[in-house]
């Protein structure tokens, strides 16, 4: 899931929570004592952008404050409740239904290599691929992945699971969508030479159903489907499965991103079917601290239509 904003696209990592970055940062760095996080540039006046059934209105930065009052009068939650009732459940059922239906077709294109994508979809593809690239860099920086057990929670079409397997990792991958899992299995068969690596084990599971113990647990861009109270429980559960490290990515909650998201909710597309939750980094960190984990590395990937905060946590 991504939201529309005009921002620069640095990819950076740092281990000091009090540091910020600037728009001149264009390289990937790890464990540096100084790094800079990009400030949000002025958002130009633009037209609505339709993305996966969600219409995202991009407005001028100077208009955000004026519109915030209008947003307080809207009731997107009522619309969300109606969406959930249509599929007979809550957030989980809505997400499962979406990614087994229209959502699968859209995100298969975004995660794939087809040229049949629009500008927004291509931009999100680039952003997500940077996130996967950063995870691989983190995991291979210090040692080989040969024989390392990795849980890819919310694996989608296998964009991370397959590169992990190529590096020798023993991968257990899962997704709530049976359609996504089937696509991941097919891609693995096509890209991984039988006998040369251990094939990833793909399963249809939601995060709550995951079990086992792994050296590393990775969960990319999935927390956007969980409100903070449920995200806290999910983070605790994922941490209980990890021995050495937990890597999470999520849509960060800031004033600007939150306003842009709420503006988008004013103009729902006809096929909007999932809720989107932004998370403050401080809330994620508190959830980790409650279960005895601390953040080792922090990263940010931003493109024009994709933004994702990534953290690597280890036992405190």
């Amino acid at each position: 899931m991504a939201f529309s904003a005009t921002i620069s696209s640095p990819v950076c990592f740092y281990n000091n929570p009090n540091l910020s970055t600037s728009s001149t940062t264009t390289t990937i760095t790890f464990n540096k004592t100084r790094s800079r996080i990009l400030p949000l540039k002025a958002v130009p006046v633009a037209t609505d952008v339709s993305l996966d059934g969600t219409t995202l209105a991009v407005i001028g930065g100077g208009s955000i404050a004026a519109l915030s009052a209008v947003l307080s009068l809207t009731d997107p939650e009522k619309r969300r409740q109606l969406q959930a009732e249509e599929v007979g459940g809550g957030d989980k059922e809505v997400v499962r239904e979406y990614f087994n239906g229209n959502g699968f077709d859209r995100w298969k294109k975004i995660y794939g290599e087809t040229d049949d994508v629009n500008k927004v979809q291509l931009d999100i593809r680039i952003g997500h691929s940077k996130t996967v690239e950063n995870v691989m860099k983190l995991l291979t920086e210090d040692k080989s992945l040969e024989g390392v057990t990795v849980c890819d929670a919310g694996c989608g079409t296998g964009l991370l699971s397959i590169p992990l397997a190529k590096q020798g990792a023993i991968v257990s991958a899962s997704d709530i969508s049976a359609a996504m899992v089937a696509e991941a299995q097919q891609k693995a068969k096509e890209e991984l030479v039988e006998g040369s690596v251990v094939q990833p084990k793909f399963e249809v599971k939601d995060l709550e159903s995951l079990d086992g113990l792994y050296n590393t647990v990775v969960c990319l861009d999935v927390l956007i489907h969980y409100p903070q109270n449920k995200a806290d429980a999910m983070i605790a559960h994922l941490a209980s499965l990890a021995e050495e490290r937990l890597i999470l990515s999520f849509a960060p909650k800031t004033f600007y991103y939150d306003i842009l998201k709420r503006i988008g909710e004013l103009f729902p597309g006809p096929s909007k079917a999932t809720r989107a939750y932004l998370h403050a980094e401080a809330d994620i960190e508190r959830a980790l601290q409650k279960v005895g984990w601390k953040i080792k590395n922090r990263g940010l990937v931003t493109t024009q239509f994709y933004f994702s905060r990534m953290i690597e946590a280890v036992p405190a």
Side-chain angles (χ1 to χ4, degrees), residues 105-114 116-117 121 125:
D105 295 330
R106 292 190 180 93
W107 288 93
K108 177 184 175 182
K109 289 200 303 183
I110 291 173
Y111 291 152
E113 299 179 353
T114 177
D116 183 26
V117 290
Q121 292 170 331
R125 176 190 292 174

Side-chain angles (χ1 to χ4, degrees), residues 44-59:
V45 176
T47 56
D48 299 343
V49 178
S50 180
L51 168 61
D52 289 336
T54 306
T55 303
L56 304 174
V58 184
I59 65 168

Side-chain angles (χ1 to χ4, degrees), residues 153-173:
C155 66
T157 60
L159 290 182
L160 176 64
S161 298
I162 294 172
L164 287 171
K166 288 180 178 179
Q167 292 294 321
I170 301 173
V171 183
S172 295

Side-chain angles (χ1 to χ4, degrees), residues 219 221-226 231 234-235 248-250 277 279 284:
C219 184
D221 296 346
V222 177
L223 292 179
I224 196 168
H225 301 299
Y226 290 85
M234 201 50 51
I235 289 170
L248 304 170
S249 72
F250 53 94
Y277 299 98
H279 298 286
I284 300 296

Side-chain angles (χ1 to χ4, degrees), residues 11 53 101 109 137 155 188 211 224 260 265:
V11 182
K109 289 200 303 183
K137 180 175 285 290
C155 66
D211 55 13
I224 196 168
L260 289 174
E265 290 176 335

Side-chain angles (χ1 to χ4, degrees), residues 139-184:
L139 293 178
T140 59
E141 185 180 41
D142 298 327
K143 60 182 181 180
S144 168
L145 286 178
E146 193 72 35
V148 174
T149 56
V150 180
C151 173
D152 185 5
C155 66
T157 60
L159 290 182
L160 176 64
S161 298
I162 294 172
L164 287 171
K166 288 180 178 179
Q167 292 294 321
I170 301 173
V171 183
S172 295
S174 60
D175 199 279
I176 194 172
S177 165
M180 287 286 188
V181 168
E183 180 68 14

Side-chain angles (χ1 to χ4, degrees), residues 143 148 214-217 239 241-246 293 296 312-315:
K143 60 182 181 180
V148 174
Y214 309 89
N215 175 276
T216 299
V217 174
L241 306 176
E243 294 179 304
E244 293 190 13
R245 56 184 164 185
L246 170 64
W293 287 65
K296 178 181 179 181
E312 176 191 22
V314 297

